[in-house]
PDB file of all heavy atoms in Angstrom:
ATOM      1  N   VAL Z  62     -23.281 214.432 104.792  1.00 92.00           N
ATOM      2  CA  VAL Z  62     -21.885 214.889 105.234  1.00 92.00           C
ATOM      3  C   VAL Z  62     -20.908 213.734 105.322  1.00 92.00           C
ATOM      4  O   VAL Z  62     -19.759 213.892 104.812  1.00 92.00           O
ATOM      5  CB  VAL Z  62     -21.987 215.528 106.594  1.00 92.00           C
ATOM      6  CG1 VAL Z  62     -20.644 215.918 107.104  1.00 92.00           C
ATOM      7  CG2 VAL Z  62     -22.800 216.891 106.499  1.00 92.00           C
ATOM      8  N   PHE Z 114      12.315 192.066 102.295  1.00 92.00           N
ATOM      9  CA  PHE Z 114      10.898 192.277 102.199  1.00 92.00           C
ATOM     10  C   PHE Z 114      10.217 191.543 103.381  1.00 92.00           C
ATOM     11  O   PHE Z 114      10.735 190.662 103.966  1.00 92.00           O
ATOM     12  CB  PHE Z 114      10.358 191.573 100.901  1.00 92.00           C
ATOM     13  CG  PHE Z 114      10.156 190.130 100.802  1.00 92.00           C
ATOM     14  CD1 PHE Z 114       8.952 189.530 101.274  1.00 92.00           C
ATOM     15  CD2 PHE Z 114      11.160 189.273 100.466  1.00 92.00           C
ATOM     16  CE1 PHE Z 114       8.763 188.255 101.254  1.00 92.00           C
ATOM     17  CE2 PHE Z 114      10.989 187.887 100.527  1.00 92.00           C
ATOM     18  CZ  PHE Z 114       9.816 187.345 100.950  1.00 92.00           C
ATOM     19  N   PRO Z 191      25.445 185.756 108.059  1.00 81.00           N
ATOM     20  CA  PRO Z 191      26.778 185.489 107.511  1.00 81.00           C
ATOM     21  C   PRO Z 191      26.642 185.070 105.994  1.00 81.00           C
ATOM     22  O   PRO Z 191      27.503 185.533 105.290  1.00 81.00           O
ATOM     23  CB  PRO Z 191      27.303 184.267 108.363  1.00 81.00           C
ATOM     24  CG  PRO Z 191      26.610 184.401 109.671  1.00 81.00           C
ATOM     25  CD  PRO Z 191      25.199 184.892 109.280  1.00 81.00           C
TER      26      PRO Z 191
END
Side-chain angles (χ1 to χ4, degrees):
V62 170
F114 78 90

